[in-house]
Amino acid sequence: MLKASRDYSCVSDIVSFIDESGINGLVRNLKPEDDEKISLICALPIPAEDISFVRQLIEPYYKIFRNAAPIGQKLHITSAFAPDQEQWRVAAEVARDGIFDVIKTRRLIIIYAARRAGRTRLAYERNKEDRVRAAIMNQESDLTIPGIERPGNDFTLEFPMLTLLAKINSFLYRLGRLRSDICSDDIDPKWRRAYGEIIKDLHEIRESNCYVKKRKISTNEIIKFNAKIKLETNIEEIPSRIGIILDSKKGQCVGDDPLIFMADIVANHLHRHLSSLDIASPLNASESISGWELGMRTVISKNSCLLDIV
């Protein structure tokens, strides 16, 4: 096992620096006018032995961006492109161009997952209609498994997050790498909680026992029964190589990290590119990144992505 740099866990031989861009909120709150909006999550996986070197290459461009920022302003790339930030915008463009050159010359890898809000909204509404229809036909409520959240509590970014983790896992498997931890800036507690649940479920889903309960509407009777879930699949298809979310407050990673800024720039630039596509166009196919500056450094599956279908 490769030994990581001083500021990252030695149990992982890759750290994936990630950032999100676009719409992220409760699925149940989506409206038809949101359909064109995109939820995107992007990762740059870097081998642990290369982290310090890549950080040194990115740091000068991060300093250009940071030094031009107004006092007290959060250091996010989108803030520099506000209408009243012309000077900061110039610095942001210089930083972006320099970082993109590093990504291209050092052949860094980009992995992403994106989904239109329209697909998320329609899938939720179909699911809700099916549950109501089944309850009426059976005179019972839908089956529930204690501890599993109701669909109405899902966030728009959860399915893209799950897809991204599966893509990273597949990438690690092909490289023969052992594990990737995740590093991001100011992760929303809801995001962190959803991540933990996804990893827990995917690690345990191969075979697990639980009890299921349902309620008969006519008698209000609660019925419970045991259920056994077993998934037959190849080991590489389960994101068992995905590690923890590193926390700067616990000393697991650098707080003000140029590599997180790099992920911020890439995610927002990719989001802007995907937003220019026709609403009927896929977001996760090779044609989706045609013409994008970093398209040649981006991993794309040959198969259609579920995020573009359901």
Side-chain angles (χ1 to χ4, degrees), residues 112 116 274 277-289 308:
Y112 79 93
R116 289 200 186 276
L274 294 177
L277 301 179
D278 183 87
I279 191 171
S281 300
L283 299 177
N284 301 275
S286 57
E287 61 263 35
S288 308
I289 55 171
D308 293 324

Side-chain angles (χ1 to χ4, degrees), residues 79-147:
S79 302
F81 286 84
D84 58 341
Q85 299 292 348
E86 287 79 7
Q87 186 175 352
W88 194 14
R89 175 174 182 156
V90 172
E93 290 174 341
V94 171
R96 181 190 63 205
D97 292 345
I99 287 173
F100 280 15
D101 284 342
V102 171
I103 292 173
K104 287 183 281 190
T105 57
R106 295 297 171 178
R107 301 177 64 81
L108 301 186
I109 294 297
I110 298 167
I111 303 174
Y112 79 93
R115 194 185 197 195
R116 289 200 186 276
R119 291 200 178 276
T120 304
R121 179 181 65 83
L122 291 174
Y124 168 71
E125 290 179 356
R126 285 195 302 268
N127 178 276
K128 185 177 180 180
E129 290 171 0
D130 290 345
R131 289 160 65 94
V132 171
R133 190 180 300 113
I136 293 174
M137 289 178 62
N138 298 327
Q139 284 297 295
E140 298 172 351
S141 69
D142 23 20
L143 301 180
T144 61
I145 302 177

Side-chain angles (χ1 to χ4, degrees), residues 10-302:
C10 64
V11 299
S12 289
D13 51 3
I14 280 185
V15 174
S16 293
F17 295 85
I18 70 170
D19 196 31
E20 62 187 79
S21 185
I23 188 171
N24 183 26
L26 285 169
V27 171
R28 67 170 181 258
N29 291 337
L30 291 175
K31 306 296 182 186
E33 52 266 31
D34 298 321
D35 284 358
E36 291 191 22
K37 296 178 181 177
I38 295 171
S39 296
L40 177 144
I41 184 163
C42 182
L44 286 92
I46 301 177
E49 67 271 22
D50 295 330
I51 287 175
S52 294
F53 175 70
V54 176
R55 183 182 289 120
Q56 289 173 9
L57 296 177
I58 298 297
E59 190 165 15
Y61 302 109
Y62 180 47
K63 286 182 178 179
I64 290 173
F65 177 79
R66 185 180 59 194
N67 293 342
I71 297 175
Q73 182 69 50
K74 286 190 175 182
L75 298 178
H76 292 301
I77 191 67
T78 51
S79 302
F81 286 84
D84 58 341
Q85 299 292 348
E86 287 79 7
Q87 186 175 352
W88 194 14
R89 175 174 182 156
V90 172
E93 290 174 341
V94 171
R96 181 190 63 205
D97 292 345
I99 287 173
F100 280 15
D101 284 342
V102 171
I103 292 173
K104 287 183 281 190
T105 57
R106 295 297 171 178
R107 301 177 64 81
L108 301 186
I109 294 297
I110 298 167
I111 303 174
Y112 79 93
R115 194 185 197 195
R116 289 200 186 276
R119 291 200 178 276
T120 304
R121 179 181 65 83
L122 291 174
Y124 168 71
E125 290 179 356
R126 285 195 302 268
N127 178 276
K128 185 177 180 180
E129 290 171 0
D130 290 345
R131 289 160 65 94
V132 171
R133 190 180 300 113
I136 293 174
M137 289 178 62
N138 298 327
Q139 284 297 295
E140 298 172 351
S141 69
D142 23 20
L143 301 180
T144 61
I145 302 177
I148 302 245
E149 296 228 32
R150 297 179 64 83
N153 292 330
D154 288 347
F155 282 79
T156 56
L157 202 63
E158 290 187 36
F159 198 3
M161 185 199 310
L162 172 60
T163 305
L164 179 77
L165 297 180
K167 288 183 177 183
I168 294 175
N169 188 80
S170 178
F171 177 69
L172 265 60
Y173 177 77
R174 286 170 173 77
L175 286 184
R177 291 286 185 162
L178 299 172
R179 193 177 96 159
S180 173
D181 285 339
I182 302 298
C183 187
S184 186
D185 181 34
D186 296 331
I187 292 180
D188 188 292
K190 297 185 294 293
W191 198 105
R192 186 181 294 274
R193 188 164 55 250
Y195 175 90
E197 288 299 317
I198 286 172
I199 294 300
K200 179 174 178 290
D201 291 345
L202 288 171
H203 282 193
E204 295 179 354
I205 198 171
R206 283 172 231 174
E207 186 167 345
S208 60
N209 294 299
C210 61
Y211 75 89
V212 180
K213 64 181 181 181
K214 60 182 179 179
R215 179 176 63 87
K216 290 185 75 70
I217 293 176
S218 57
T219 63
N220 210 29
E221 178 187 5
I222 301 294
I223 302 172
K224 297 182 181 180
F225 55 92
N226 293 324
K228 188 172 186 178
I229 301 173
K230 187 172 183 179
L231 181 65
E232 298 290 345
T233 186
N234 295 326
I235 184 69
E236 65 268 20
E237 295 173 355
I238 297 293
S240 57
R241 296 174 188 243
I242 303 298
I244 63 171
I245 296 179
L246 300 174
D247 190 341
S248 61
K249 295 179 182 178
K250 297 180 180 179
Q252 296 171 329
C253 61
V254 174
D256 188 20
D257 196 337
L259 298 180
I260 294 176
F261 174 64
M262 174 178 64
D264 179 27
I265 280 190
V266 172
N268 280 280
H269 197 268
L270 177 56
H271 181 269
R272 188 161 67 250
H273 169 80
L274 294 177
S275 297
S276 69
L277 301 179
D278 183 87
I279 191 171
S281 300
L283 299 177
N284 301 275
S286 57
E287 61 263 35
S288 308
I289 55 171
S290 176
W292 184 49
E293 186 173 348
L294 297 177
M296 295 298 293
R297 303 308 315 148
T298 305
V299 175
I300 292 289
S301 173
K302 295 180 180 178

